[in-house]
Amino acid sequence: MKNPNLGRMLRYYRKAKCYSVQQVVDKLKNEYGISISPKSVYSWENGQTQPYADTLLVLCKIYSINNILDSLGYKGEPEQAPLVLTPEERELIIKYRTHKYFNSAIRKLLDIED
């Protein structure tokens, strides 16, 4: 699945390092043995294509990107699916919340310390 932020991120970090597209192409080839054309870099930055994962990791190294997930917009823990309860589970939770004398028994049952 394509990440729409990837191209913007690659362009931003390339320009922040003051690298031209040709300099990136030369670094990839000379330092890492990855042969690409300037057109590939432009294509990545415009969101038309995306680099292979190993090339992306090398670009992160070249651009000094330490946390690629944050740079791509993946902040914090992924969202969990909503919890779906059966009617019985819902009733148990309501009773647990409304009848305080059940709390200690349930906490003991679940092996939760007070």
Short mmCIF file of all heavy atoms in Angstrom, two decimals, residues 12-53:
data_model
loop_
_atom_site.label_atom_id
_atom_site.label_comp_id
_atom_site.label_asym_id
_atom_site.label_seq_id
_atom_site.Cartn_x
_atom_site.Cartn_y
_atom_site.Cartn_z
N TYR A 12 11.41 16.55 1.10
CA TYR A 12 11.74 17.44 2.22
C TYR A 12 13.15 17.16 2.76
O TYR A 12 13.95 18.08 2.91
CB TYR A 12 10.70 17.28 3.34
CG TYR A 12 11.10 17.99 4.61
CD1 TYR A 12 10.86 19.35 4.77
CD2 TYR A 12 11.74 17.30 5.64
CE1 TYR A 12 11.25 20.01 5.92
CE2 TYR A 12 12.14 17.96 6.80
CZ TYR A 12 11.88 19.31 6.94
OH TYR A 12 12.28 19.97 8.07
N TYR A 13 13.45 15.89 3.03
CA TYR A 13 14.74 15.56 3.62
C TYR A 13 15.88 15.73 2.63
O TYR A 13 16.99 16.11 3.01
CB TYR A 13 14.72 14.15 4.21
CG TYR A 13 14.03 14.10 5.54
CD1 TYR A 13 12.74 13.59 5.66
CD2 TYR A 13 14.63 14.59 6.70
CE1 TYR A 13 12.10 13.56 6.88
CE2 TYR A 13 13.99 14.57 7.91
CZ TYR A 13 12.73 14.05 8.01
OH TYR A 13 12.09 14.04 9.22
N ARG A 14 15.63 15.49 1.35
CA ARG A 14 16.68 15.73 0.34
C ARG A 14 17.04 17.21 0.31
O ARG A 14 18.21 17.58 0.36
CB ARG A 14 16.23 15.26 -1.04
CG ARG A 14 17.27 15.58 -2.14
CD ARG A 14 16.83 15.10 -3.49
NE ARG A 14 15.59 15.68 -3.97
CZ ARG A 14 15.49 16.91 -4.51
NH1 ARG A 14 16.54 17.69 -4.61
NH2 ARG A 14 14.31 17.33 -4.95
N LYS A 15 16.00 18.05 0.28
CA LYS A 15 16.25 19.49 0.24
C LYS A 15 16.84 20.00 1.54
O LYS A 15 17.68 20.91 1.54
CB LYS A 15 14.96 20.25 -0.11
CG LYS A 15 14.55 20.03 -1.55
CD LYS A 15 13.33 20.82 -1.91
CE LYS A 15 13.04 20.67 -3.39
NZ LYS A 15 12.04 21.60 -3.86
N ALA A 16 16.44 19.41 2.67
CA ALA A 16 16.99 19.82 3.97
C ALA A 16 18.49 19.53 4.03
O ALA A 16 19.25 20.26 4.69
CB ALA A 16 16.27 19.10 5.10
N LYS A 17 18.94 18.49 3.34
CA LYS A 17 20.36 18.15 3.29
C LYS A 17 21.07 18.92 2.17
O LYS A 17 22.28 18.76 1.98
CB LYS A 17 20.54 16.66 3.05
CG LYS A 17 20.21 15.81 4.25
CD LYS A 17 21.20 16.05 5.35
CE LYS A 17 21.64 14.78 5.98
NZ LYS A 17 22.65 15.00 7.00
N CYS A 18 20.31 19.72 1.42
CA CYS A 18 20.85 20.50 0.30
C CYS A 18 21.45 19.62 -0.79
O CYS A 18 22.47 19.96 -1.40
CB CYS A 18 21.87 21.53 0.79
SG CYS A 18 21.18 22.75 1.92
N TYR A 19 20.83 18.47 -1.04
CA TYR A 19 21.28 17.57 -2.10
C TYR A 19 20.44 17.80 -3.34
O TYR A 19 19.22 17.94 -3.25
CB TYR A 19 21.12 16.10 -1.70
CG TYR A 19 22.05 15.60 -0.63
CD1 TYR A 19 21.60 14.67 0.30
CD2 TYR A 19 23.37 16.03 -0.54
CE1 TYR A 19 22.43 14.19 1.29
CE2 TYR A 19 24.21 15.55 0.45
CZ TYR A 19 23.74 14.64 1.36
OH TYR A 19 24.57 14.15 2.34
N SER A 20 21.10 17.80 -4.48
CA SER A 20 20.36 17.80 -5.74
C SER A 20 19.94 16.36 -6.02
O SER A 20 20.46 15.42 -5.40
CB SER A 20 21.25 18.31 -6.88
OG SER A 20 22.27 17.37 -7.15
N VAL A 21 19.03 16.20 -6.95
CA VAL A 21 18.61 14.85 -7.33
C VAL A 21 19.82 14.07 -7.85
O VAL A 21 20.01 12.90 -7.51
CB VAL A 21 17.47 14.90 -8.36
CG1 VAL A 21 17.21 13.54 -8.98
CG2 VAL A 21 16.20 15.44 -7.71
N GLN A 22 20.65 14.72 -8.65
CA GLN A 22 21.82 14.04 -9.21
C GLN A 22 22.79 13.62 -8.10
O GLN A 22 23.38 12.54 -8.17
CB GLN A 22 22.54 14.93 -10.24
CG GLN A 22 23.64 14.22 -10.98
CD GLN A 22 23.15 13.00 -11.76
OE1 GLN A 22 22.18 13.09 -12.51
NE2 GLN A 22 23.79 11.86 -11.57
N GLN A 23 22.93 14.43 -7.06
CA GLN A 23 23.80 14.05 -5.95
C GLN A 23 23.29 12.80 -5.25
O GLN A 23 24.06 11.93 -4.85
CB GLN A 23 23.94 15.20 -4.95
CG GLN A 23 24.82 16.33 -5.44
CD GLN A 23 24.80 17.51 -4.49
OE1 GLN A 23 23.72 18.00 -4.11
NE2 GLN A 23 25.98 17.97 -4.11
N VAL A 24 21.98 12.69 -5.11
CA VAL A 24 21.38 11.50 -4.49
C VAL A 24 21.64 10.28 -5.37
O VAL A 24 22.04 9.21 -4.88
CB VAL A 24 19.88 11.70 -4.24
CG1 VAL A 24 19.21 10.41 -3.79
CG2 VAL A 24 19.65 12.80 -3.22
N VAL A 25 21.43 10.44 -6.67
CA VAL A 25 21.68 9.34 -7.62
C VAL A 25 23.13 8.89 -7.52
O VAL A 25 23.43 7.69 -7.45
CB VAL A 25 21.33 9.78 -9.06
CG1 VAL A 25 21.83 8.78 -10.09
CG2 VAL A 25 19.83 9.99 -9.19
N ASP A 26 24.06 9.86 -7.49
CA ASP A 26 25.49 9.53 -7.40
C ASP A 26 25.84 8.84 -6.08
O ASP A 26 26.60 7.87 -6.06
CB ASP A 26 26.34 10.79 -7.58
CG ASP A 26 26.24 11.38 -8.98
OD1 ASP A 26 25.82 10.65 -9.91
OD2 ASP A 26 26.56 12.57 -9.15
N LYS A 27 25.29 9.33 -4.97
CA LYS A 27 25.55 8.70 -3.67
C LYS A 27 25.04 7.27 -3.65
O LYS A 27 25.71 6.37 -3.15
CB LYS A 27 24.88 9.50 -2.54
CG LYS A 27 25.66 10.67 -2.05
CD LYS A 27 24.93 11.27 -0.85
CE LYS A 27 25.82 12.14 -0.04
NZ LYS A 27 26.95 11.49 0.57
N LEU A 28 23.82 7.06 -4.15
CA LEU A 28 23.26 5.71 -4.17
C LEU A 28 24.15 4.76 -4.97
O LEU A 28 24.42 3.64 -4.54
CB LEU A 28 21.84 5.72 -4.76
CG LEU A 28 20.75 6.27 -3.84
CD1 LEU A 28 19.45 6.47 -4.61
CD2 LEU A 28 20.51 5.35 -2.65
N LYS A 29 24.65 5.23 -6.10
CA LYS A 29 25.48 4.37 -6.95
C LYS A 29 26.88 4.18 -6.37
O LYS A 29 27.35 3.06 -6.23
CB LYS A 29 25.58 4.93 -8.36
CG LYS A 29 26.39 4.04 -9.27
CD LYS A 29 26.38 4.48 -10.69
CE LYS A 29 27.21 3.48 -11.47
NZ LYS A 29 27.03 3.53 -12.86
N ASN A 30 27.54 5.27 -6.03
CA ASN A 30 28.93 5.21 -5.62
C ASN A 30 29.14 4.64 -4.22
O ASN A 30 30.12 3.95 -3.97
CB ASN A 30 29.58 6.60 -5.71
CG ASN A 30 29.59 7.13 -7.12
OD1 ASN A 30 29.60 6.38 -8.09
ND2 ASN A 30 29.55 8.44 -7.25
N GLU A 31 28.23 4.93 -3.29
CA GLU A 31 28.43 4.50 -1.91
C GLU A 31 27.68 3.22 -1.56
O GLU A 31 28.05 2.53 -0.61
CB GLU A 31 28.01 5.63 -0.96
CG GLU A 31 28.88 6.87 -1.11
CD GLU A 31 28.43 8.02 -0.22
OE1 GLU A 31 27.78 7.76 0.82
OE2 GLU A 31 28.73 9.18 -0.58
N TYR A 32 26.62 2.91 -2.32
CA TYR A 32 25.78 1.77 -1.95
C TYR A 32 25.53 0.79 -3.10
O TYR A 32 24.84 -0.20 -2.91
CB TYR A 32 24.43 2.26 -1.39
CG TYR A 32 24.61 3.11 -0.15
CD1 TYR A 32 24.66 4.50 -0.24
CD2 TYR A 32 24.77 2.52 1.09
CE1 TYR A 32 24.84 5.29 0.88
CE2 TYR A 32 24.96 3.30 2.23
CZ TYR A 32 24.99 4.67 2.11
OH TYR A 32 25.18 5.46 3.24
N GLY A 33 26.04 1.09 -4.28
CA GLY A 33 25.90 0.19 -5.41
C GLY A 33 24.48 0.08 -5.95
O GLY A 33 24.12 -0.91 -6.57
N ILE A 34 23.68 1.11 -5.72
CA ILE A 34 22.30 1.12 -6.21
C ILE A 34 22.21 2.05 -7.41
O ILE A 34 22.39 3.25 -7.28
CB ILE A 34 21.32 1.58 -5.11
CG1 ILE A 34 21.38 0.63 -3.90
CG2 ILE A 34 19.89 1.66 -5.66
CD1 ILE A 34 20.61 1.10 -2.69
N SER A 35 21.97 1.48 -8.58
CA SER A 35 21.90 2.27 -9.80
C SER A 35 20.46 2.63 -10.13
O SER A 35 19.63 1.75 -10.35
CB SER A 35 22.50 1.49 -10.98
OG SER A 35 23.88 1.28 -10.76
N ILE A 36 20.20 3.92 -10.13
CA ILE A 36 18.88 4.43 -10.51
C ILE A 36 19.10 5.67 -11.37
O ILE A 36 20.19 6.23 -11.41
CB ILE A 36 18.01 4.79 -9.28
CG1 ILE A 36 18.73 5.82 -8.42
CG2 ILE A 36 17.65 3.56 -8.48
CD1 ILE A 36 17.81 6.65 -7.60
N SER A 37 18.03 6.12 -11.98
CA SER A 37 18.10 7.35 -12.78
C SER A 37 17.53 8.50 -11.98
O SER A 37 16.76 8.29 -11.04
CB SER A 37 17.31 7.17 -14.08
OG SER A 37 15.93 7.08 -13.77
N PRO A 38 17.87 9.74 -12.37
CA PRO A 38 17.25 10.89 -11.71
C PRO A 38 15.72 10.85 -11.82
O PRO A 38 15.02 11.27 -10.92
CB PRO A 38 17.82 12.09 -12.46
CG PRO A 38 19.14 11.61 -12.99
CD PRO A 38 18.92 10.16 -13.31
N LYS A 39 15.22 10.29 -12.94
CA LYS A 39 13.79 10.18 -13.13
C LYS A 39 13.14 9.36 -12.01
O LYS A 39 12.03 9.65 -11.58
CB LYS A 39 13.50 9.54 -14.50
CG LYS A 39 12.05 9.46 -14.84
CD LYS A 39 11.85 8.85 -16.21
CE LYS A 39 10.37 8.72 -16.50
NZ LYS A 39 10.11 8.13 -17.80
N SER A 40 13.85 8.34 -11.50
CA SER A 40 13.32 7.51 -10.41
C SER A 40 13.14 8.34 -9.15
O SER A 40 12.12 8.23 -8.45
CB SER A 40 14.25 6.34 -10.12
OG SER A 40 14.28 5.45 -11.20
N VAL A 41 14.13 9.18 -8.84
CA VAL A 41 14.03 10.02 -7.64
C VAL A 41 12.85 10.97 -7.77
O VAL A 41 12.06 11.12 -6.83
CB VAL A 41 15.35 10.79 -7.39
CG1 VAL A 41 15.21 11.73 -6.20
CG2 VAL A 41 16.51 9.82 -7.16
N TYR A 42 12.73 11.61 -8.93
CA TYR A 42 11.59 12.50 -9.14
C TYR A 42 10.27 11.75 -9.02
O TYR A 42 9.30 12.25 -8.46
CB TYR A 42 11.67 13.17 -10.52
CG TYR A 42 12.71 14.26 -10.61
CD1 TYR A 42 13.78 14.16 -11.50
CD2 TYR A 42 12.63 15.41 -9.82
CE1 TYR A 42 14.73 15.16 -11.60
CE2 TYR A 42 13.58 16.41 -9.90
CZ TYR A 42 14.63 16.28 -10.79
OH TYR A 42 15.57 17.28 -10.88
N SER A 43 10.23 10.54 -9.55
CA SER A 43 9.02 9.72 -9.50
C SER A 43 8.66 9.37 -8.06
O SER A 43 7.49 9.38 -7.68
CB SER A 43 9.24 8.46 -10.33
OG SER A 43 8.09 7.67 -10.34
N TRP A 44 9.66 9.06 -7.24
CA TRP A 44 9.41 8.79 -5.82
C TRP A 44 8.87 10.03 -5.12
O TRP A 44 7.91 9.96 -4.37
CB TRP A 44 10.68 8.36 -5.10
CG TRP A 44 11.32 7.10 -5.60
CD1 TRP A 44 10.72 6.07 -6.27
CD2 TRP A 44 12.70 6.75 -5.47
NE1 TRP A 44 11.64 5.10 -6.57
CE2 TRP A 44 12.86 5.49 -6.08
CE3 TRP A 44 13.81 7.36 -4.92
CZ2 TRP A 44 14.09 4.83 -6.13
CZ3 TRP A 44 15.02 6.72 -4.96
CH2 TRP A 44 15.16 5.47 -5.56
N GLU A 45 9.53 11.16 -5.38
CA GLU A 45 9.16 12.39 -4.70
C GLU A 45 7.79 12.92 -5.14
O GLU A 45 7.14 13.64 -4.38
CB GLU A 45 10.24 13.45 -4.91
CG GLU A 45 11.53 13.12 -4.18
CD GLU A 45 12.61 14.18 -4.33
OE1 GLU A 45 12.39 15.18 -5.05
OE2 GLU A 45 13.68 14.01 -3.72
N ASN A 46 7.37 12.58 -6.34
CA ASN A 46 6.05 13.01 -6.81
C ASN A 46 4.96 12.00 -6.47
O ASN A 46 3.80 12.20 -6.81
CB ASN A 46 6.07 13.24 -8.33
CG ASN A 46 6.90 14.46 -8.69
OD1 ASN A 46 6.92 15.42 -7.93
ND2 ASN A 46 7.58 14.41 -9.81
N GLY A 47 5.31 10.90 -5.82
CA GLY A 47 4.34 9.91 -5.41
C GLY A 47 3.86 8.99 -6.50
O GLY A 47 2.90 8.24 -6.32
N GLN A 48 4.52 9.02 -7.66
CA GLN A 48 4.12 8.14 -8.76
C GLN A 48 4.56 6.71 -8.52
O GLN A 48 3.86 5.77 -8.89
CB GLN A 48 4.68 8.66 -10.08
CG GLN A 48 4.11 10.01 -10.46
CD GLN A 48 4.86 10.66 -11.62
OE1 GLN A 48 5.97 10.24 -11.96
NE2 GLN A 48 4.26 11.68 -12.20
N THR A 49 5.73 6.55 -7.94
CA THR A 49 6.25 5.23 -7.57
C THR A 49 6.88 5.34 -6.19
O THR A 49 7.00 6.45 -5.64
CB THR A 49 7.31 4.72 -8.57
OG1 THR A 49 8.43 5.62 -8.55
CG2 THR A 49 6.75 4.60 -9.98
N GLN A 50 7.29 4.21 -5.67
CA GLN A 50 7.98 4.21 -4.38
C GLN A 50 9.24 3.36 -4.49
O GLN A 50 9.27 2.37 -5.23
CB GLN A 50 7.07 3.65 -3.27
CG GLN A 50 5.91 4.58 -2.99
CD GLN A 50 5.06 4.13 -1.82
OE1 GLN A 50 5.03 2.97 -1.47
NE2 GLN A 50 4.38 5.07 -1.20
N PRO A 51 10.27 3.73 -3.75
CA PRO A 51 11.51 2.95 -3.80
C PRO A 51 11.31 1.59 -3.14
O PRO A 51 10.42 1.42 -2.29
CB PRO A 51 12.51 3.80 -3.02
CG PRO A 51 11.69 4.64 -2.12
CD PRO A 51 10.39 4.87 -2.84
N TYR A 52 12.14 0.63 -3.53
CA TYR A 52 12.15 -0.65 -2.83
C TYR A 52 12.53 -0.41 -1.38
O TYR A 52 13.19 0.59 -1.06
CB TYR A 52 13.15 -1.61 -3.48
CG TYR A 52 12.75 -2.07 -4.86
CD1 TYR A 52 13.55 -1.76 -5.96
CD2 TYR A 52 11.60 -2.83 -5.06
CE1 TYR A 52 13.19 -2.18 -7.24
CE2 TYR A 52 11.24 -3.25 -6.33
CZ TYR A 52 12.04 -2.92 -7.41
OH TYR A 52 11.67 -3.34 -8.67
N ALA A 53 12.14 -1.32 -0.51
CA ALA A 53 12.38 -1.15 0.92
C ALA A 53 13.86 -0.97 1.24
O ALA A 53 14.23 -0.10 2.05
CB ALA A 53 11.82 -2.34 1.70
#
